[in-house]
Amino acid sequence: MVELRFGHQLNANWMLAGGYKKNVQAVDPVNSDFRIAAGEVRSHGFEINVAGELTPEWQVINSYAYVDAGVTRDNSLSKYKRLANIPRNSFNLLSVYELHNGFWCGLGLGVNLKYVVNVPVKQPYRPSPWTITP
């Protein structure tokens, strides 16, 4: 991870990641009610985060992540097929406002927006690309 600081109010960081996982569960070709340890998957990508204080009370964190995850070996799935429920692109924005004075000192309110793009999913589940977390 690499981190940059711009004064006391703004910082940014980015990270590269990757790896392989062996013996991933796969559907048994003889009996589809069972699973066998046969597959191998790989994942690599990067994440960028920018965080800062707009005012002493108001903090914002913005992030973007790119993940390329797919099958490299399996008995039933084709090679390089993307893994289900892992978004290729995701964006996140977190905004928090906290009171620093008076009776309500320490009380805060935050909102998190998350947007995901290019999510291969198994039917019938179809997630919404937007999520708001109060």
Side-chain angles (χ1 to χ4, degrees):
M1 178 165 61
V2 175
E3 186 168 356
L4 302 171
R5 291 196 180 270
F6 305 97
H8 294 289
Q9 284 102 7
L10 180 67
N11 68 58
N13 61 56
W14 61 275
M15 178 184 71
L16 296 173
Y20 285 85
K21 184 176 182 182
K22 295 182 180 182
N23 295 325
V24 176
Q25 286 189 4
V27 175
D28 187 342
V30 177
N31 185 345
S32 62
D33 292 334
F34 294 97
R35 303 255 180 207
I36 59 172
E40 179 183 80
V41 297
R42 56 113 180 95
S43 174
H44 60 272
F46 65 91
E47 183 175 356
I48 300 170
N49 298 297
V50 178
E53 289 184 358
L54 302 179
T55 68
E57 296 85 14
W58 188 11
Q59 300 162 7
V60 177
I61 301 172
N62 189 10
S63 66
Y64 166 75
Y66 172 83
V67 177
D68 184 18
V71 175
T72 56
R73 187 186 59 162
D74 192 85
N75 291 336
S76 58
L77 295 174
S78 61
K79 193 172 183 179
Y80 303 116
K81 180 175 174 69
R82 288 190 47 218
L83 296 177
N85 301 325
I86 298 178
R88 179 164 286 174
N89 298 288
S90 63
F91 303 89
N92 196 59
L93 175 65
L94 172 64
S95 179
V96 177
Y97 189 87
E98 184 176 333
L99 299 173
H100 289 198
N101 297 316
F103 179 75
W104 298 104
C105 182
L107 178 66
L109 175 67
V111 175
N112 186 43
L113 299 172
K114 185 169 191 138
Y115 182 70
V116 294
V117 184
N118 299 331
V119 183
V121 296
K122 295 181 179 179
Q123 295 299 334
Y125 176 70
R126 176 60 86 193
S128 168
W130 282 99
T131 303
I132 298 175
T133 309

